């Protein structure tokens, strides 16, 4: 029998997201050559250049941050959407298109082929109604509508054979008694470790019984215990355990299983109503779902997860990665790569994961929020009437320069022509009163340029009446930015930051809504998104902390805190991003590098503010 193969990765919300068909073909080609090798995703998709898939541990590894995510190999019928190359997508806030999870895509295509006028996704755990006549998706709660589309793409790869019982490990796993070699012991233990991580994420999704009390089913969860040479590596734990601290340990062993029944609400179960079993070396661990409607979808199968929590065995070296996307005793990228290399060499390794960062303080009553001493008010707003300041370019350039009669024998670093020659912008840019051969010297720093070059540079900037020397970055006038309209609030809360036990805390709250870009932005007339707002930031309530706040307020008024661009975190374009002035967004820890204690932060942010033309001398003025 022919089967369609779809490779998927687990995102931070516990959802399996499909790789594109081209990427899946690439993974399958590598898998044929070496079932325990590595796949460099950047070879087929430039946007995935930081990512590598380790086929032995079935994890996606990001080289620049060290982030590791589980991957799986899923199977569908050739007549399903991935087998035909059909992709269903919905339009997101910035006007681009996002593909549905593969299981939902298969469901939508099945209903579309049967010429159903609409499709209700409630039974899949999503409160959306698909209307095929208007090609729209409607949120049944908010009534918000989004467009959807059906497009044709490359069909996903085909393989011969029946659907394997285990879908998240390479083909060729042993049956019967496990091999006792170091490599097989390693693979078996890594499998259990991966299951432990995924089980923790599953518990977050399915652990509660909130939702529709009349639609509960039964979830049969495996409790797994591995032993090797008399040492317990995986202790049995309840499937409802809520722990977030997982230890990934490698050291091997035989497996035994017992089952425990847990209530499961269909309202809490996301998009996979049919979930088959996971086969292991010593038995069949069954995961059964009752009371779920599968909408007659052919070939949609998912894998079950063990709920074991790892205990580090003696003699296995630990790589303490405090946080998989930030700083720690071992850099996460180095630790992740070390883990992969040690696995390939057949050596045991353990990656430990610490608790999540403490982003916010305990709940605070409004009456406990006090004004910051020495600062008037508790909020600032940027309105549209503040956004435009038209200045004549010639007047701005003449204001900050003086003419030079005796020209030095050096280059103009803007046009790279000699100062004794005419500006490189001659014939390209014309301004009355500014001849191409005129040269000016900036008043503070003394650097010299063609006046026409300075006019061209000004016209290419924000046109706010300020000028910045391209050589030494000295700012002339008051520099302003392109921050969209929004609101800034600030107040004192009765809690202290790590490293400042004797001071209360200044909390800053930024809130910027999504909107339409104007002429000063990268894509005028196009929508921009505003993710993660309101954003909460923290300063110690001491003399230096208040000084920083005053300067941040000044930077906000000058529209320098945020800008519109491409997010370095998500890669999303046309979205609100930070503008080179760092903020502390982590209240009670420093696992991400954006928290406390950080004894150098206040001095560093003062330097960053000064580089934007917001210095301590402005406070005196």
């Amino acid at each position: 029998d022919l089967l369609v193969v779809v490779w998927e990765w687990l995102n931070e919300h516990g959802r399996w997201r499909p790789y594109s068909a081209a990427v899946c073909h690439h993974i399958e080609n590598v898998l044929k050559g070496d079932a325990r090798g590595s796949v460099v995703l950047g070879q087929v998709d430039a946007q995935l250049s930081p990512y590598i898939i380790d086929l032995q541990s079935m994890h996606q590894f990001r080289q620049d941050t060290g982030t590791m995510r589980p991957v799986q190999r899923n199977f569908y019928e050739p007549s399903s959407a991935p087998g035909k190359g059909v992709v269903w997508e919905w339009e997101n806030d910035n006007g681009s298109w996002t593909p549905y999870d593969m299981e939902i895509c298969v469901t939508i295509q099945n209903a579309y082929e049967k010429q159903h006028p609409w499709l209700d996704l409630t039974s899949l755990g999503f409160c959306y109604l698909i209307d095929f006549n208007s090609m729209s998706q409607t949120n049944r709660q908010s009534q918000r509508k989004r467009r959807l589309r059906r497009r044709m793409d490359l069909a996903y790869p085909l393989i011969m054979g029946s659907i394997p019982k285990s879908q998240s490990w390479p083909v060729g796993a042993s049956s019967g008694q496990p091999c006792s070699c170091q490599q097989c012991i390693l693979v078996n233990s890594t499998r259990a470790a991966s299951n432990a991580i995924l089980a923790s994420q599953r518990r977050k999704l399915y652990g509660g019984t909130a939702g529709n009390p009349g639609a509960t089913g039964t979830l049969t969860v495996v409790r797994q215990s591995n032993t090797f040479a008399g040492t317990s590596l995986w202790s049995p734990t309840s499937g409802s355990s809520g722990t977030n601290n997982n230890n990934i340990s490698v050291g091997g062993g035989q497996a035994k299983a017992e089952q425990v029944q847990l209530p499961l609400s269909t309202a809490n179960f996301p998009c996979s109503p049919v979930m088959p079993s996971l086969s292991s070396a010593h038995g069949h661990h069954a995961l059964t779902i009752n009371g779920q409607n599968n909408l007659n979808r052919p070939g949609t199968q998912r894998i079950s997860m063990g709920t074991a929590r790892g205990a580090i065995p003696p003699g296995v070296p630990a790589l303490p990665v405090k946080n998989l996307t930030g700083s720690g005793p071992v850099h996460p990228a180095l630790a992740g790569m070390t883990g992969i290399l040690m696995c390939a060499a057949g050596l045991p390794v353990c990656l430990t994961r610490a608790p999540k960062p403490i982003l916010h303080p305990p709940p605070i009553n409004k009456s406990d929020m006090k004004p910051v001493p020495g600062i008037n008010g508790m909020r600032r707003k940027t309105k549209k009437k503040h956004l435009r300041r038209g200045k004549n370019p010639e007047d701005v350039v003449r204001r900050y320069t003086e003419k030079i009669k005796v020209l030095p024998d050096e280059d103009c670093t803007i046009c790279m022509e000699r100062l004794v020659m005419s500006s490189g912008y001659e014939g390209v840019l014309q301004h009355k009163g500014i001849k191409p051969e005129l040269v000016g010297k900036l008043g503070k720093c003394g650097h010299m340029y063609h006046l026409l070059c300075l006019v061209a540079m000004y016209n290419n900037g924000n046109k706010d009446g300020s000028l910045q020397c391209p050589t030494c970055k000295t700012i002339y006038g008051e520099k302003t930015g392109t921050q969209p309209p929004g609101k800034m609030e600030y107040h004192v809360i009765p809690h202290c930051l790590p490293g400042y036990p004797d001071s209360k805390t200044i909390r800053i709250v930024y809130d910027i809504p999504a909107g339409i870009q104007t002429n000063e932005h990268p894509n005028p007339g196009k929508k921009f998104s505003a993710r993660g707002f309101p954003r909460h930031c923290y300063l110690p309530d001491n003399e230096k902390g208040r000084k920083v706040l005053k300067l941040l307020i000044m930077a906000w008024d000058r529209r320098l805190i945020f800008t519109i661009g491409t997010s370095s975190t998500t890669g999303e374009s046309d979205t609100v991003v930070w503008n080179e002035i760092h903020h502390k967004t982590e209240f009670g820890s420093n696992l991400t590098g954006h928290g406390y204690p950080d004894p150098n932060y206040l001095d560093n942010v003062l330097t960053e503010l000064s580089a934007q033309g917001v210095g301590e001398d402005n406070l005196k003025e």
Side-chain angles (χ1 to χ4, degrees):
D1 294 338
L2 286 173
L3 297 171
V4 177
V5 180
V6 177
W7 285 80
E8 300 168 313
W9 58 277
L10 190 71
N11 70 9
E12 61 272 20
H13 306 297
R15 301 263 298 280
W16 288 100
R17 302 289 297 144
Y19 292 101
S20 69
V23 171
C24 290
H25 277 280
H26 178 57
I27 298 173
E28 285 295 308
N29 287 335
V30 175
L31 185 66
K32 290 174 186 175
D34 183 3
R36 298 181 183 226
S38 298
V39 185
V40 181
L41 300 186
Q43 292 177 347
V44 69
D45 187 342
Q47 293 183 330
L48 301 180
S49 56
Y51 298 98
I52 292 175
I53 290 179
D54 177 45
L55 294 175
Q56 180 174 318
S57 65
M58 289 298 284
H59 275 78
Q60 171 192 278
F61 173 69
R62 179 164 178 162
Q63 300 174 80
D64 52 351
T65 65
T67 304
M68 289 188 289
R69 297 185 185 277
V71 298
Q72 73 173 15
R73 188 175 183 236
N74 212 350
F75 301 87
Y76 297 87
E77 297 292 339
S79 59
S80 63
K84 296 177 178 178
V86 176
V87 180
W88 286 88
E89 299 172 318
W90 54 273
E91 188 178 31
N92 58 32
D93 291 337
N94 63 7
S96 58
W97 294 89
T98 303
Y100 286 93
D101 294 353
M102 188 55 72
E103 298 246 351
I104 299 178
C105 179
V106 169
T107 302
I108 295 175
Q109 177 64 16
N110 192 38
Y112 177 81
E113 290 177 350
K114 292 181 179 179
Q115 298 184 339
H116 292 173
W118 53 270
L119 173 66
D120 189 347
L121 297 179
T122 304
S123 60
L124 297 178
F126 298 93
C127 55
Y128 295 113
L129 188 69
I130 302 295
D131 187 333
F132 292 110
N133 293 322
S134 62
M135 289 297 280
S136 64
Q137 165 194 286
T138 304
N139 188 312
R140 298 174 70 95
Q141 293 179 346
S142 66
Q143 295 303 307
R144 180 175 182 180
K145 266 190 180 180
R146 294 182 184 272
R147 290 194 300 162
L148 78 151
R149 72 178 184 183
R150 176 182 181 269
R151 67 176 179 86
M152 299 303 296
D153 200 346
L154 180 69
Y156 279 80
L158 287 169
I159 63 166
M160 292 289 294
S162 59
I163 296 179
K165 294 179 180 179
S166 172
Q167 298 176 21
S168 55
W169 298 93
V171 177
S174 62
S175 58
Q177 290 293 327
C179 175
S180 59
C181 75
Q182 282 291 323
Q183 192 74 9
C184 291
I185 290 173
L186 180 68
V187 170
N188 289 335
S189 296
T190 309
R191 179 181 304 171
S194 178
N195 285 346
I197 299 172
L198 301 184
S200 174
Q201 293 165 338
R202 292 279 177 186
R203 285 196 294 273
K204 293 176 188 175
L205 288 172
Y206 318 143
T209 56
N212 182 1
T216 57
T218 302
L219 176 64
T220 304
V221 180
V222 176
R223 291 198 305 183
Q224 187 169 295
S225 175
N226 282 16
T227 57
F228 177 67
T231 305
S232 175
L233 299 185
W234 301 96
S235 58
T237 181
S238 169
S240 59
S241 170
T243 179
N244 291 328
N245 301 333
N246 298 308
N247 297 317
I248 310 173
S249 69
V250 177
Q254 298 177 341
K256 58 183 179 181
E258 51 184 311
Q259 292 185 336
V260 58
Q261 298 288 326
L262 293 177
L264 175 68
S265 167
T266 57
N268 290 335
F269 204 85
C271 64
S272 49
V274 182
M275 299 182 71
S277 59
L278 173 66
S279 172
S280 76
H282 282 276
H284 194 71
H285 302 173
L287 178 64
T288 58
I289 306 292
N290 298 325
Q292 283 288 76
N293 177 11
N294 66 6
L295 297 182
N296 300 314
R297 296 176 302 133
T300 55
Q301 292 192 310
R302 311 291 286 186
I303 53 172
S304 63
M305 303 300 162
T307 60
R309 179 181 60 178
I312 304 173
V316 174
L319 296 177
V321 184
K322 279 191 174 178
N323 116 63
L324 291 181
T325 57
S327 60
V330 176
H331 189 278
L334 176 61
M337 186 58 75
T338 303
I340 290 176
L341 292 174
M342 292 179 72
C343 283
L347 299 173
V349 65
C350 167
L351 301 180
T352 63
R353 301 180 79 178
K356 292 182 178 179
I358 303 169
L359 299 178
H360 302 291
I364 302 163
N365 295 324
K366 253 190 173 179
S367 58
D368 292 329
M369 301 178 193
K370 305 296 182 183
V372 181
I375 297 179
N376 295 327
M378 297 176 72
R379 63 182 56 85
R380 310 284 284 196
K381 285 187 178 180
T382 304
K383 299 181 180 178
K384 289 185 178 179
K385 66 180 182 181
H386 296 154
L387 300 187
R388 288 190 177 179
R389 291 184 182 181
K391 302 284 184 181
N392 185 299
E394 296 175 33
D395 293 341
V396 173
V397 169
R398 291 185 185 279
R399 183 181 307 139
Y400 302 121
T401 60
E402 56 185 67
K403 288 183 182 179
I404 299 297
K405 294 181 180 179
V406 181
L407 302 179
D409 187 21
E410 58 184 59
D411 290 339
C412 169
T413 55
I414 297 177
C415 70
M416 300 311 293
E417 295 287 349
R418 306 296 287 177
L419 288 173
V420 294
M421 306 293 289
S422 295
S423 166
Y425 285 93
E426 182 181 15
V428 178
L429 192 66
Q430 291 183 348
H431 275 268
K432 291 181 181 179
I434 295 188
K435 296 178 181 179
E437 64 270 13
L438 290 179
V439 174
K441 181 173 73 172
L442 290 169
K444 293 180 186 177
C445 63
H447 289 111
M448 288 177 278
Y449 308 93
H450 293 114
L451 294 183
L452 194 60
C453 291
L454 289 173
V455 169
M457 184 184 72
Y458 179 83
N459 283 334
N460 198 41
N462 199 27
K463 302 176 186 176
D464 58 0
S466 71
L467 207 60
Q468 187 167 14
C469 175
T471 301
C472 65
K473 308 304 180 186
T474 299
I475 295 173
Y476 295 82
E478 182 180 297
K479 179 183 177 181
T480 60
T482 60
Q483 177 179 290
K487 182 173 62 176
M488 173 188 187
E489 297 182 356
Y490 37 88
H491 46 255
V492 175
I493 57 176
H495 298 286
C496 59
L497 294 165
Y500 296 94
D502 300 323
S503 302
K504 294 181 180 179
T505 298
I506 299 170
R507 179 166 63 182
I508 306 169
V509 182
Y510 295 111
D511 198 3
I512 295 179
I516 305 295
Q517 298 181 56
T518 61
N519 290 334
E520 62 187 357
H521 295 132
N523 297 297
K526 188 176 180 181
K527 291 180 181 180
F528 68 85
S529 60
R531 310 292 183 194
F533 288 94
R535 298 188 185 183
H536 292 222
C537 310
Y538 305 95
L539 292 167
D541 182 28
N542 56 23
E543 184 179 353
K544 188 176 279 190
R546 292 178 207 133
K547 180 195 294 183
V548 169
L549 176 61
K550 290 177 183 178
L551 293 173
L552 287 174
I553 293 171
M554 193 175 296
W556 171 267
D557 290 341
R558 297 182 185 180
R559 305 170 56 222
L560 294 168
I561 302 292
F562 296 97
T563 188
I564 293 176
T566 300
S567 170
S568 60
T569 306
T570 65
E572 180 183 9
S573 58
D574 299 303
T575 190
V576 179
V577 295
W578 294 106
N579 187 34
E580 299 180 5
I581 300 174
H582 286 83
H583 285 64
K584 292 296 188 182
T585 55
E586 191 177 343
F587 172 78
S589 55
N590 194 19
L591 298 180
T592 65
H594 302 301
Y596 295 92
D598 185 346
N600 300 318
Y601 169 67
L602 296 179
D603 290 325
N604 290 341
V605 76
L606 286 172
T607 302
E608 292 173 343
L609 284 161
S610 180
Q612 298 284 350
V614 184
E616 296 182 50
D617 52 339
N618 295 113
L619 296 179
K620 298 172 185 176
E621 296 172 6

